[in-house]
Amino acid sequence: MKLKFTKMHGAGNDFIVVDAIHQDVSLNAEQWRRLADRRFGIGADQILVVERPVLDGCDFRYRIFNSDGGEVEQCGNGARAFARFVSDKGLSTERSIRVETMKGIIAPRLEDDGSVTVDMGAPRLDPAEVPFDSAGLGGWAEGEDTTWPLPVGGKTVFVSVVSMGNPHAVQVVDDVDTAPVEQTGPAIEAHARFPQRVNAGYMQVVDRHHIRLRVYERGAGETLACGTGACAAVVAGIRRGLLDSPVRVSARGGELSIAWNGAGQPVYLSGPAVTVFEGEVEI
Ligand SMILES: N[C@H](CCC[C@H](N)C(=O)O)C(=O)O
């Protein structure tokens, strides 16, 4: 079976994007994983699938598969690529669209400067919604936030937990370049306190409107940027009294901008969405 795809990225977080409206895209986890494999397949952090909406009032349905083949709830950098793709392919003539995901509705908007701004919806701040098992852990109140002492590799790391539809554990580090992302990222990602695993964020506060961020992503490993990770880090930083909206997020693959005005309010994610090449593959 032939599959048409477009290779894209958002600040270096790279994607295979497929139109499942005009072609049959019924693949299993092993086939998704193989497509995302950087040697045996096309190679990508995630695969983004464009479908007709199910919910009234939505323009599209947006499905996301990590490079390990698992389907997940949300992808912020992917949402920008999704909006660029449906516009470039003529699937939509609107600048702003409403897109349903596994956990909620997001609203990307194409900007005049070529960037895309996405209303990512409101963060979920109750640990049980992340989900995170905090039973018996004893968190520390920091501003409006709580940091949780997580035993990792014989040490204790202090994480904030936030859901953007997908789960995030964010810790503050002095310098992202020397942060032990490779050493502790896998242990946090698979930590038993996160029943659905978790994206592990390492945030360096540069000033109240600027952070540097690395994320060891659930189901993909460290990526050059993580959109929902940037949202979660800024939400945690604002709640801990370390940051003020808007916040510039410097990731290894590029710059993102996050704005959030407090609990119950949507998080806005802005950044690039780039098409690299188009192709067709036999699966
Ligand atoms: N690895 C994430 C999905 C992709 C998120 C990231 N690429 C983004 O831009 O938000 C998870 O399993 O929740």
Side-chain angles (χ1 to χ4, degrees), residues 13 15 45-46 64 66 72-80 120 166-168 197-199 217-220 223 225-229 269:
N13 182 194
F15 310 109
D45 294 325
Q46 280 89 30
I64 303 129
N66 279 322
V72 291
E73 310 90 343
Q74 194 54 271
C75 178
N77 288 325
R80 302 195 311 276
M120 294 295 296
N166 60 344
H168 292 270
R197 298 183 295 159
V198 72
N199 299 283
E217 286 199 27
R218 176 181 64 171
T223 56
C226 178
T228 51
L269 161 65

PDB file of all heavy atoms in Angstrom, residues 13 15 45-46 64 66 72-80 120 166-168 197-199 217-220 223 225-229 269, ligand 1:
ATOM      1  N   ASN A  13      11.509  19.844  16.183  1.00  0.00           N
ATOM      2  CA  ASN A  13      10.694  18.669  16.573  1.00  0.00           C
ATOM      3  C   ASN A  13      10.042  18.207  15.264  1.00  0.00           C
ATOM      4  O   ASN A  13       9.278  18.981  14.668  1.00  0.00           O
ATOM      5  CB  ASN A  13       9.668  19.134  17.599  1.00  0.00           C
ATOM      6  CG  ASN A  13       8.763  18.051  18.157  1.00  0.00           C
ATOM      7  OD1 ASN A  13       7.765  18.396  18.766  1.00  0.00           O
ATOM      8  ND2 ASN A  13       9.062  16.784  17.992  1.00  0.00           N
ATOM      9  N   PHE A  15       8.200  15.771  12.184  1.00  0.00           N
ATOM     10  CA  PHE A  15       6.945  15.039  12.022  1.00  0.00           C
ATOM     11  C   PHE A  15       6.796  14.458  10.621  1.00  0.00           C
ATOM     12  O   PHE A  15       7.273  15.052   9.643  1.00  0.00           O
ATOM     13  CB  PHE A  15       5.753  15.985  12.258  1.00  0.00           C
ATOM     14  CG  PHE A  15       5.839  16.785  13.509  1.00  0.00           C
ATOM     15  CD1 PHE A  15       6.071  18.154  13.468  1.00  0.00           C
ATOM     16  CD2 PHE A  15       5.735  16.177  14.753  1.00  0.00           C
ATOM     17  CE1 PHE A  15       6.168  18.899  14.638  1.00  0.00           C
ATOM     18  CE2 PHE A  15       5.838  16.906  15.922  1.00  0.00           C
ATOM     19  CZ  PHE A  15       6.054  18.274  15.873  1.00  0.00           C
ATOM     20  N   ASP A  45       9.989  12.346  15.106  1.00  0.00           N
ATOM     21  CA  ASP A  45       9.660  12.215  16.527  1.00  0.00           C
ATOM     22  C   ASP A  45       8.212  11.745  16.702  1.00  0.00           C
ATOM     23  O   ASP A  45       7.891  10.960  17.589  1.00  0.00           O
ATOM     24  CB  ASP A  45       9.797  13.578  17.226  1.00  0.00           C
ATOM     25  CG  ASP A  45      11.222  14.095  17.262  1.00  0.00           C
ATOM     26  OD1 ASP A  45      12.154  13.277  17.397  1.00  0.00           O
ATOM     27  OD2 ASP A  45      11.407  15.318  17.139  1.00  0.00           O
ATOM     28  N   GLN A  46       7.331  12.299  15.876  1.00  0.00           N
ATOM     29  CA  GLN A  46       5.918  11.931  15.912  1.00  0.00           C
ATOM     30  C   GLN A  46       5.324  11.841  14.501  1.00  0.00           C
ATOM     31  O   GLN A  46       5.882  12.439  13.552  1.00  0.00           O
ATOM     32  CB  GLN A  46       5.092  12.991  16.690  1.00  0.00           C
ATOM     33  CG  GLN A  46       5.163  12.863  18.196  1.00  0.00           C
ATOM     34  CD  GLN A  46       6.313  13.627  18.816  1.00  0.00           C
ATOM     35  OE1 GLN A  46       6.748  14.674  18.298  1.00  0.00           O
ATOM     36  NE2 GLN A  46       6.820  13.119  19.921  1.00  0.00           N
ATOM     37  N   ILE A  64      -2.120  11.710  17.025  1.00  0.00           N
ATOM     38  CA  ILE A  64      -0.677  11.841  17.203  1.00  0.00           C
ATOM     39  C   ILE A  64      -0.108  10.494  17.630  1.00  0.00           C
ATOM     40  O   ILE A  64      -0.646   9.852  18.567  1.00  0.00           O
ATOM     41  CB  ILE A  64      -0.361  12.886  18.296  1.00  0.00           C
ATOM     42  CG1 ILE A  64      -0.981  14.253  17.945  1.00  0.00           C
ATOM     43  CG2 ILE A  64       1.134  12.991  18.546  1.00  0.00           C
ATOM     44  CD1 ILE A  64      -1.791  14.851  19.067  1.00  0.00           C
ATOM     45  N   ASN A  66       3.585   8.741  18.782  1.00  0.00           N
ATOM     46  CA  ASN A  66       5.004   8.900  19.075  1.00  0.00           C
ATOM     47  C   ASN A  66       5.833   7.933  18.225  1.00  0.00           C
ATOM     48  O   ASN A  66       5.299   6.943  17.694  1.00  0.00           O
ATOM     49  CB  ASN A  66       5.271   8.608  20.557  1.00  0.00           C
ATOM     50  CG  ASN A  66       4.949   9.783  21.457  1.00  0.00           C
ATOM     51  OD1 ASN A  66       5.178  10.933  21.116  1.00  0.00           O
ATOM     52  ND2 ASN A  66       4.407   9.471  22.624  1.00  0.00           N
ATOM     53  N   VAL A  72      -0.967   9.240  21.418  1.00  0.00           N
ATOM     54  CA  VAL A  72      -0.998  10.132  22.587  1.00  0.00           C
ATOM     55  C   VAL A  72      -1.986  11.270  22.388  1.00  0.00           C
ATOM     56  O   VAL A  72      -2.535  11.474  21.308  1.00  0.00           O
ATOM     57  CB  VAL A  72       0.408  10.678  22.905  1.00  0.00           C
ATOM     58  CG1 VAL A  72       1.304   9.547  23.416  1.00  0.00           C
ATOM     59  CG2 VAL A  72       1.010  11.381  21.700  1.00  0.00           C
ATOM     60  N   GLU A  73      -2.171  12.023  23.477  1.00  0.00           N
ATOM     61  CA  GLU A  73      -3.283  12.982  23.562  1.00  0.00           C
ATOM     62  C   GLU A  73      -3.023  14.308  22.871  1.00  0.00           C
ATOM     63  O   GLU A  73      -3.967  14.979  22.425  1.00  0.00           O
ATOM     64  CB  GLU A  73      -3.572  13.285  25.044  1.00  0.00           C
ATOM     65  CG  GLU A  73      -3.745  12.070  25.950  1.00  0.00           C
ATOM     66  CD  GLU A  73      -2.432  11.582  26.577  1.00  0.00           C
ATOM     67  OE1 GLU A  73      -1.348  11.948  26.084  1.00  0.00           O
ATOM     68  OE2 GLU A  73      -2.521  10.812  27.548  1.00  0.00           O
ATOM     69  N   GLN A  74      -1.750  14.757  22.841  1.00  0.00           N
ATOM     70  CA  GLN A  74      -1.513  16.129  22.408  1.00  0.00           C
ATOM     71  C   GLN A  74      -0.076  16.320  21.912  1.00  0.00           C
ATOM     72  O   GLN A  74       0.823  15.586  22.362  1.00  0.00           O
ATOM     73  CB  GLN A  74      -1.759  17.100  23.596  1.00  0.00           C
ATOM     74  CG  GLN A  74      -1.878  18.556  23.183  1.00  0.00           C
ATOM     75  CD  GLN A  74      -2.926  18.786  22.127  1.00  0.00           C
ATOM     76  OE1 GLN A  74      -2.624  18.709  20.916  1.00  0.00           O
ATOM     77  NE2 GLN A  74      -4.164  19.027  22.526  1.00  0.00           N
ATOM     78  N   CYS A  75       0.086  17.254  20.993  1.00  0.00           N
ATOM     79  CA  CYS A  75       1.425  17.625  20.518  1.00  0.00           C
ATOM     80  C   CYS A  75       1.353  19.078  20.062  1.00  0.00           C
ATOM     81  O   CYS A  75       0.650  19.379  19.084  1.00  0.00           O
ATOM     82  CB  CYS A  75       1.858  16.713  19.370  1.00  0.00           C
ATOM     83  SG  CYS A  75       3.474  17.138  18.673  1.00  0.00           S
ATOM     84  N   GLY A  76       2.056  19.947  20.781  1.00  0.00           N
ATOM     85  CA  GLY A  76       1.938  21.384  20.529  1.00  0.00           C
ATOM     86  C   GLY A  76       2.672  21.824  19.275  1.00  0.00           C
ATOM     87  O   GLY A  76       2.104  22.522  18.419  1.00  0.00           O
ATOM     88  N   ASN A  77       3.930  21.388  19.106  1.00  0.00           N
ATOM     89  CA  ASN A  77       4.650  21.738  17.873  1.00  0.00           C
ATOM     90  C   ASN A  77       3.923  21.129  16.672  1.00  0.00           C
ATOM     91  O   ASN A  77       3.827  21.730  15.602  1.00  0.00           O
ATOM     92  CB  ASN A  77       6.085  21.210  17.917  1.00  0.00           C
ATOM     93  CG  ASN A  77       6.950  21.986  18.897  1.00  0.00           C
ATOM     94  OD1 ASN A  77       6.786  23.189  19.070  1.00  0.00           O
ATOM     95  ND2 ASN A  77       7.851  21.294  19.568  1.00  0.00           N
ATOM     96  N   GLY A  78       3.366  19.932  16.899  1.00  0.00           N
ATOM     97  CA  GLY A  78       2.623  19.279  15.826  1.00  0.00           C
ATOM     98  C   GLY A  78       1.370  20.032  15.431  1.00  0.00           C
ATOM     99  O   GLY A  78       0.978  20.040  14.258  1.00  0.00           O
ATOM    100  N   ALA A  79       0.745  20.701  16.398  1.00  0.00           N
ATOM    101  CA  ALA A  79      -0.482  21.460  16.093  1.00  0.00           C
ATOM    102  C   ALA A  79      -0.188  22.575  15.100  1.00  0.00           C
ATOM    103  O   ALA A  79      -1.011  22.870  14.209  1.00  0.00           O
ATOM    104  CB  ALA A  79      -1.059  22.040  17.383  1.00  0.00           C
ATOM    105  N   ARG A  80       1.010  23.178  15.213  1.00  0.00           N
ATOM    106  CA  ARG A  80       1.364  24.247  14.272  1.00  0.00           C
ATOM    107  C   ARG A  80       1.609  23.660  12.876  1.00  0.00           C
ATOM    108  O   ARG A  80       1.141  24.196  11.855  1.00  0.00           O
ATOM    109  CB  ARG A  80       2.580  25.023  14.782  1.00  0.00           C
ATOM    110  CG  ARG A  80       2.380  25.655  16.159  1.00  0.00           C
ATOM    111  CD  ARG A  80       3.450  26.712  16.455  1.00  0.00           C
ATOM    112  NE  ARG A  80       4.784  26.229  16.188  1.00  0.00           N
ATOM    113  CZ  ARG A  80       5.505  25.507  17.063  1.00  0.00           C
ATOM    114  NH1 ARG A  80       5.003  25.189  18.242  1.00  0.00           N
ATOM    115  NH2 ARG A  80       6.722  25.101  16.750  1.00  0.00           N
ATOM    116  N   MET A 120      -3.979  26.276  23.205  1.00  0.00           N
ATOM    117  CA  MET A 120      -3.783  24.868  23.590  1.00  0.00           C
ATOM    118  C   MET A 120      -4.775  24.424  24.651  1.00  0.00           C
ATOM    119  O   MET A 120      -4.688  23.307  25.171  1.00  0.00           O
ATOM    120  CB  MET A 120      -2.357  24.671  24.118  1.00  0.00           C
ATOM    121  CG  MET A 120      -1.252  24.866  23.098  1.00  0.00           C
ATOM    122  SD  MET A 120      -1.282  23.647  21.774  1.00  0.00           S
ATOM    123  CE  MET A 120      -0.956  22.137  22.698  1.00  0.00           C
ATOM    124  N   ASN A 166      -1.542  15.940  27.721  1.00  0.00           N
ATOM    125  CA  ASN A 166      -0.527  14.909  27.927  1.00  0.00           C
ATOM    126  C   ASN A 166       0.268  15.252  29.185  1.00  0.00           C
ATOM    127  O   ASN A 166       0.306  16.377  29.630  1.00  0.00           O
ATOM    128  CB  ASN A 166       0.373  14.789  26.696  1.00  0.00           C
ATOM    129  CG  ASN A 166       1.107  16.092  26.380  1.00  0.00           C
ATOM    130  OD1 ASN A 166       0.762  17.167  26.873  1.00  0.00           O
ATOM    131  ND2 ASN A 166       2.150  15.997  25.571  1.00  0.00           N
ATOM    132  N   PRO A 167       0.923  14.250  29.794  1.00  0.00           N
ATOM    133  CA  PRO A 167       1.531  14.468  31.114  1.00  0.00           C
ATOM    134  C   PRO A 167       2.945  15.041  31.070  1.00  0.00           C
ATOM    135  O   PRO A 167       3.765  14.625  30.236  1.00  0.00           O
ATOM    136  CB  PRO A 167       1.553  13.058  31.710  1.00  0.00           C
ATOM    137  CG  PRO A 167       1.638  12.156  30.518  1.00  0.00           C
ATOM    138  CD  PRO A 167       0.926  12.843  29.402  1.00  0.00           C
ATOM    139  N   HIS A 168       3.251  15.975  32.010  1.00  0.00           N
ATOM    140  CA  HIS A 168       4.575  16.600  32.089  1.00  0.00           C
ATOM    141  C   HIS A 168       5.056  16.676  33.524  1.00  0.00           C
ATOM    142  O   HIS A 168       4.264  16.968  34.433  1.00  0.00           O
ATOM    143  CB  HIS A 168       4.533  18.011  31.487  1.00  0.00           C
ATOM    144  CG  HIS A 168       4.318  18.008  30.007  1.00  0.00           C
ATOM    145  ND1 HIS A 168       5.355  17.962  29.104  1.00  0.00           N
ATOM    146  CD2 HIS A 168       3.173  17.981  29.275  1.00  0.00           C
ATOM    147  CE1 HIS A 168       4.856  17.932  27.875  1.00  0.00           C
ATOM    148  NE2 HIS A 168       3.538  17.938  27.938  1.00  0.00           N
ATOM    149  N   ARG A 197       3.174   7.043  32.022  1.00  0.00           N
ATOM    150  CA  ARG A 197       4.502   7.585  31.788  1.00  0.00           C
ATOM    151  C   ARG A 197       4.432   9.116  31.718  1.00  0.00           C
ATOM    152  O   ARG A 197       3.371   9.714  32.041  1.00  0.00           O
ATOM    153  CB  ARG A 197       5.149   6.960  30.535  1.00  0.00           C
ATOM    154  CG  ARG A 197       5.348   5.430  30.643  1.00  0.00           C
ATOM    155  CD  ARG A 197       6.064   4.885  29.419  1.00  0.00           C
ATOM    156  NE  ARG A 197       5.251   5.037  28.212  1.00  0.00           N
ATOM    157  CZ  ARG A 197       5.757   5.030  26.991  1.00  0.00           C
ATOM    158  NH1 ARG A 197       7.063   4.906  26.815  1.00  0.00           N
ATOM    159  NH2 ARG A 197       4.982   5.166  25.926  1.00  0.00           N
ATOM    160  N   VAL A 198       5.501   9.793  31.331  1.00  0.00           N
ATOM    161  CA  VAL A 198       5.482  11.265  31.430  1.00  0.00           C
ATOM    162  C   VAL A 198       6.593  11.856  30.566  1.00  0.00           C
ATOM    163  O   VAL A 198       7.616  11.201  30.288  1.00  0.00           O
ATOM    164  CB  VAL A 198       5.656  11.699  32.916  1.00  0.00           C
ATOM    165  CG1 VAL A 198       7.086  11.458  33.414  1.00  0.00           C
ATOM    166  CG2 VAL A 198       5.238  13.154  33.120  1.00  0.00           C
ATOM    167  N   ASN A 199       6.382  13.091  30.132  1.00  0.00           N
ATOM    168  CA  ASN A 199       7.418  13.886  29.450  1.00  0.00           C
ATOM    169  C   ASN A 199       8.231  14.610  30.519  1.00  0.00           C
ATOM    170  O   ASN A 199       7.639  15.283  31.385  1.00  0.00           O
ATOM    171  CB  ASN A 199       6.759  14.896  28.509  1.00  0.00           C
ATOM    172  CG  ASN A 199       5.932  14.210  27.432  1.00  0.00           C
ATOM    173  OD1 ASN A 199       6.466  13.681  26.462  1.00  0.00           O
ATOM    174  ND2 ASN A 199       4.603  14.184  27.617  1.00  0.00           N
ATOM    175  N   GLU A 217      11.164  13.346  25.953  1.00  0.00           N
ATOM    176  CA  GLU A 217       9.752  13.107  25.684  1.00  0.00           C
ATOM    177  C   GLU A 217       9.344  11.649  25.897  1.00  0.00           C
ATOM    178  O   GLU A 217      10.087  10.715  25.547  1.00  0.00           O
ATOM    179  CB  GLU A 217       9.395  13.492  24.239  1.00  0.00           C
ATOM    180  CG  GLU A 217       9.336  14.980  23.992  1.00  0.00           C
ATOM    181  CD  GLU A 217       8.563  15.311  22.732  1.00  0.00           C
ATOM    182  OE1 GLU A 217       7.671  14.525  22.334  1.00  0.00           O
ATOM    183  OE2 GLU A 217       8.869  16.358  22.127  1.00  0.00           O
ATOM    184  N   ARG A 218       8.149  11.485  26.429  1.00  0.00           N
ATOM    185  CA  ARG A 218       7.529  10.151  26.499  1.00  0.00           C
ATOM    186  C   ARG A 218       7.438   9.588  25.091  1.00  0.00           C
ATOM    187  O   ARG A 218       7.007  10.288  24.188  1.00  0.00           O
ATOM    188  CB  ARG A 218       6.138  10.260  27.110  1.00  0.00           C
ATOM    189  CG  ARG A 218       5.342   8.988  27.150  1.00  0.00           C
ATOM    190  CD  ARG A 218       3.955   9.160  27.742  1.00  0.00           C
ATOM    191  NE  ARG A 218       3.098  10.046  26.955  1.00  0.00           N
ATOM    192  CZ  ARG A 218       1.791  10.204  27.190  1.00  0.00           C
ATOM    193  NH1 ARG A 218       1.210   9.587  28.213  1.00  0.00           N
ATOM    194  NH2 ARG A 218       1.081  11.026  26.434  1.00  0.00           N
ATOM    195  N   GLY A 219       7.888   8.370  24.925  1.00  0.00           N
ATOM    196  CA  GLY A 219       7.708   7.679  23.653  1.00  0.00           C
ATOM    197  C   GLY A 219       8.541   8.185  22.508  1.00  0.00           C
ATOM    198  O   GLY A 219       8.316   7.791  21.352  1.00  0.00           O
ATOM    199  N   ALA A 220       9.494   9.098  22.771  1.00  0.00           N
ATOM    200  CA  ALA A 220      10.313   9.617  21.659  1.00  0.00           C
ATOM    201  C   ALA A 220      11.745   9.923  22.070  1.00  0.00           C
ATOM    202  O   ALA A 220      12.610  10.093  21.213  1.00  0.00           O
ATOM    203  CB  ALA A 220       9.671  10.885  21.083  1.00  0.00           C
ATOM    204  N   THR A 223      13.885  15.455  22.359  1.00  0.00           N
ATOM    205  CA  THR A 223      13.613  16.101  21.072  1.00  0.00           C
ATOM    206  C   THR A 223      14.252  17.491  21.084  1.00  0.00           C
ATOM    207  O   THR A 223      14.615  18.003  22.147  1.00  0.00           O
ATOM    208  CB  THR A 223      12.098  16.235  20.839  1.00  0.00           C
ATOM    209  OG1 THR A 223      11.522  16.954  21.941  1.00  0.00           O
ATOM    210  CG2 THR A 223      11.449  14.856  20.725  1.00  0.00           C
ATOM    211  N   ALA A 225      12.766  20.206  20.475  1.00  0.00           N
ATOM    212  CA  ALA A 225      11.789  21.131  21.071  1.00  0.00           C
ATOM    213  C   ALA A 225      10.548  20.325  21.426  1.00  0.00           C
ATOM    214  O   ALA A 225      10.267  19.298  20.796  1.00  0.00           O
ATOM    215  CB  ALA A 225      11.410  22.254  20.109  1.00  0.00           C
ATOM    216  N   CYS A 226       9.811  20.805  22.418  1.00  0.00           N
ATOM    217  CA  CYS A 226       8.563  20.136  22.819  1.00  0.00           C
ATOM    218  C   CYS A 226       7.545  21.232  23.132  1.00  0.00           C
ATOM    219  O   CYS A 226       7.726  21.984  24.110  1.00  0.00           O
ATOM    220  CB  CYS A 226       8.800  19.258  24.042  1.00  0.00           C
ATOM    221  SG  CYS A 226       7.301  18.435  24.647  1.00  0.00           S
ATOM    222  N   GLY A 227       6.501  21.344  22.321  1.00  0.00           N
ATOM    223  CA  GLY A 227       5.543  22.441  22.471  1.00  0.00           C
ATOM    224  C   GLY A 227       4.749  22.349  23.762  1.00  0.00           C
ATOM    225  O   GLY A 227       4.665  23.308  24.524  1.00  0.00           O
ATOM    226  N   THR A 228       4.162  21.180  24.018  1.00  0.00           N
ATOM    227  CA  THR A 228       3.403  21.029  25.268  1.00  0.00           C
ATOM    228  C   THR A 228       4.346  21.084  26.467  1.00  0.00           C
ATOM    229  O   THR A 228       3.962  21.554  27.544  1.00  0.00           O
ATOM    230  CB  THR A 228       2.630  19.697  25.293  1.00  0.00           C
ATOM    231  OG1 THR A 228       3.527  18.616  24.963  1.00  0.00           O
ATOM    232  CG2 THR A 228       1.448  19.720  24.339  1.00  0.00           C
ATOM    233  N   GLY A 229       5.594  20.649  26.260  1.00  0.00           N
ATOM    234  CA  GLY A 229       6.593  20.755  27.327  1.00  0.00           C
ATOM    235  C   GLY A 229       6.901  22.203  27.656  1.00  0.00           C
ATOM    236  O   GLY A 229       7.054  22.574  28.830  1.00  0.00           O
ATOM    237  N   LEU A 269       0.554  29.003  22.532  1.00  0.00           N
ATOM    238  CA  LEU A 269       1.879  28.557  22.069  1.00  0.00           C
ATOM    239  C   LEU A 269       2.107  29.127  20.673  1.00  0.00           C
ATOM    240  O   LEU A 269       1.287  28.891  19.768  1.00  0.00           O
ATOM    241  CB  LEU A 269       1.911  27.022  22.018  1.00  0.00           C
ATOM    242  CG  LEU A 269       2.988  26.337  21.181  1.00  0.00           C
ATOM    243  CD1 LEU A 269       4.386  26.610  21.734  1.00  0.00           C
ATOM    244  CD2 LEU A 269       2.720  24.836  21.106  1.00  0.00           C
TER     245      LEU A 269
HETATM  246  N1  LIG B   1       5.846  12.882  23.495  1.00  0.00           N
HETATM  247  C1  LIG B   1       4.575  13.537  23.814  1.00  0.00           C
HETATM  248  C2  LIG B   1       3.798  13.847  22.511  1.00  0.00           C
HETATM  249  C3  LIG B   1       4.486  14.895  21.634  1.00  0.00           C
HETATM  250  C4  LIG B   1       4.641  16.215  22.347  1.00  0.00           C
HETATM  251  C5  LIG B   1       5.621  17.222  21.749  1.00  0.00           C
HETATM  252  N2  LIG B   1       6.328  16.813  20.561  1.00  0.00           N
HETATM  253  C6  LIG B   1       4.979  18.595  21.594  1.00  0.00           C
HETATM  254  O1  LIG B   1       5.389  19.381  20.723  1.00  0.00           O
HETATM  255  O2  LIG B   1       4.077  18.899  22.418  1.00  0.00           O
HETATM  256  C7  LIG B   1       3.744  12.622  24.735  1.00  0.00           C
HETATM  257  O3  LIG B   1       3.936  11.401  24.678  1.00  0.00           O
HETATM  258  O4  LIG B   1       2.906  13.170  25.460  1.00  0.00           O
END
